[in-house]
């Protein structure tokens, strides 16, 4: 079973891991700073776009490194390959995301006309949302293997494994919530005692933890791929 403990430990064991998390948190910190300043809307939009592309490439590379059984989890400090891989990943996955969430929208509308009980409707809508999300998660995993666009649209693989992958992702999110609680609480409490909240130091620390989360997610998604798809394909 995929292990959040392995993901947590191995993403910290890379050489210069802490330095990478701090450096890669800088763009997100500036996004937050520009977001809170009304006259910096243009700067926010540009920074947010570049940051999203960079983080997509960062997470994909973490997944690829682990899936390829390399000795490192994290990418290099060279941001240009990450920007390129992130841009390609967004372009390749965008049609799948559009299809999945369009499907979710129409199914949710159909269900709202069919089911009158609000509790029952909420349950079925939540199931629909989860299944549509699972299509995106599976597409991401398939793309991170070899960075080939054709892998993303392997309908047979997506339909076979998307539910199992969804269950694994739900467990990942629960475990990551616990990890974040443990990682964030003591440091933010320390900052609150000495500097008060909100404070730029607290904001930057949260940005660093978000980058750390991306590395853990990338690692965990590789584990899901290996255990859910590869092992079952080999049976």
């Amino acid at each position: 079973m995929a292990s959040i403990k392995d993901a947590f430990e191995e993403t910290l064991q890379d050489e210069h891991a802490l330095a990478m998390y701090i450096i890669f948190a800088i763009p997100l910190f500036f996004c937050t700073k520009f977001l809170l300043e009304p006259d910096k809307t243009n700067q926010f939009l540009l920074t947010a776009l570049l940051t999203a592309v960079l983080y997509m490439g960062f997470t994909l590379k973490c997944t690829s490194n682990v899936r390829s059984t390399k000795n490192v989890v994290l990418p290099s400090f060279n941001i240009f390959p990450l920007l390129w891989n992130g841009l390609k990943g967004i372009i390749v996955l965008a049609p799948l995301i559009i299809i999945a969430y369009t499907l979710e929208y129409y199914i949710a509308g159909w269900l709202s006309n069919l089911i009158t009980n609000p509790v029952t409707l909420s349950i079925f809508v939540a199931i629909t949302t989860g299944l549509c999300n699972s299509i995106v998660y599976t597409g991401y995993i398939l793309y991170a293997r070899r960075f080939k666009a054709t892998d993303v649209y392997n309908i047979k693989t997506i339909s076979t494994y998307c539910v199992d992958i969804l269950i694994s992702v739900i467990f990942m999110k629960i475990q990551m919530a616990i990890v974040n609680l443990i990682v964030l609480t003591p440091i933010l409490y320390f900052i609150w005692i000495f500097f008060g909240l909100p404070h730029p130091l607290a904001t930057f620390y949260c940005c660093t933890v978000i980058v750390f989360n991306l590395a853990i997610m990338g690692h965990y998604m590789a584990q899901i791929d290996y255990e859910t798809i590869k092992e079952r394909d080999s049976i």
Side-chain angles (χ1 to χ4, degrees):
M1 184 176 179
S3 169
I4 199 74
K5 179 177 178 291
D6 290 343
F8 182 92
E9 292 176 349
E10 292 179 17
T11 50
L12 284 175
Q13 289 171 358
D14 275 12
E15 188 177 7
H16 308 308
L18 183 58
M20 174 163 286
Y21 296 139
I22 292 172
I23 291 172
F24 276 71
I26 294 173
L28 185 58
F29 177 76
F30 277 104
C31 281
T32 307
K33 182 175 181 294
F34 293 148
L35 180 63
L36 298 175
E37 298 179 15
D39 59 332
K40 297 291 181 66
T41 302
N42 291 335
Q43 292 93 324
F44 166 73
L45 293 175
L46 178 61
T47 307
L49 177 62
L50 291 174
T51 302
V53 173
L54 177 64
Y55 286 177
M56 181 65 169
F58 177 89
T59 311
L60 279 168
K61 189 60 177 174
C62 290
T63 303
S64 175
N65 285 345
V66 176
R67 188 62 182 80
S68 303
T69 64
K70 292 185 178 180
N71 293 327
V72 296
V73 175
L74 303 177
S76 70
F77 284 96
N78 188 348
I79 66 169
F80 296 107
L82 298 182
L83 288 170
W84 177 238
N85 286 333
L87 181 61
K88 288 194 299 181
I90 290 171
I91 292 172
V92 168
L93 289 169
L96 186 68
I97 294 170
I98 292 171
I99 291 169
Y101 292 123
T102 300
L103 189 63
E104 176 192 350
Y105 174 79
Y106 282 108
I107 293 176
W110 177 73
L111 288 172
S112 65
N113 293 325
L114 184 67
I115 302 172
T116 56
N117 185 289
V119 176
T120 305
L121 176 62
S122 298
I123 292 171
F124 276 92
V125 169
I127 293 171
T128 301
T129 301
L131 290 174
C132 291
N133 284 336
S134 71
I135 295 172
V136 179
Y137 299 143
T138 309
Y140 168 91
I141 286 173
L142 294 175
Y143 180 69
R145 283 178 161 189
R146 300 183 296 173
F147 295 132
K148 289 186 65 175
T150 52
D151 291 345
V152 175
Y153 299 93
N154 187 329
I155 305 301
K156 181 178 182 298
T157 301
I158 290 175
S159 60
T160 301
Y161 298 111
C162 66
V163 174
D164 297 307
I165 288 173
L166 174 63
I167 293 170
S168 297
V169 169
I170 290 172
F171 278 108
M172 177 190 73
K173 290 181 177 180
I174 294 171
Q175 293 176 86
M176 287 190 66
I178 297 171
V179 168
N180 283 321
L181 186 64
I182 295 170
V183 171
L184 284 170
T185 303
I187 301 299
L188 291 181
Y189 179 75
F190 176 85
I191 295 173
W192 174 61
I193 291 296
F194 287 94
F195 304 102
L197 292 175
H199 191 276
L201 186 60
T203 302
F204 189 81
Y205 179 68
C206 290
C207 293
T208 304
V209 172
I210 288 173
V211 179
F212 181 45
N213 274 234
L214 293 176
I216 293 176
M217 287 170 55
H219 190 297
Y220 200 97
M221 294 297 271
Q223 293 184 63
I224 292 174
D225 178 18
Y226 186 85
E227 296 182 1
T228 302
I229 299 178
K230 181 182 176 182
E231 288 192 356
R232 295 191 183 184
D233 282 347
S234 64
I235 297 175

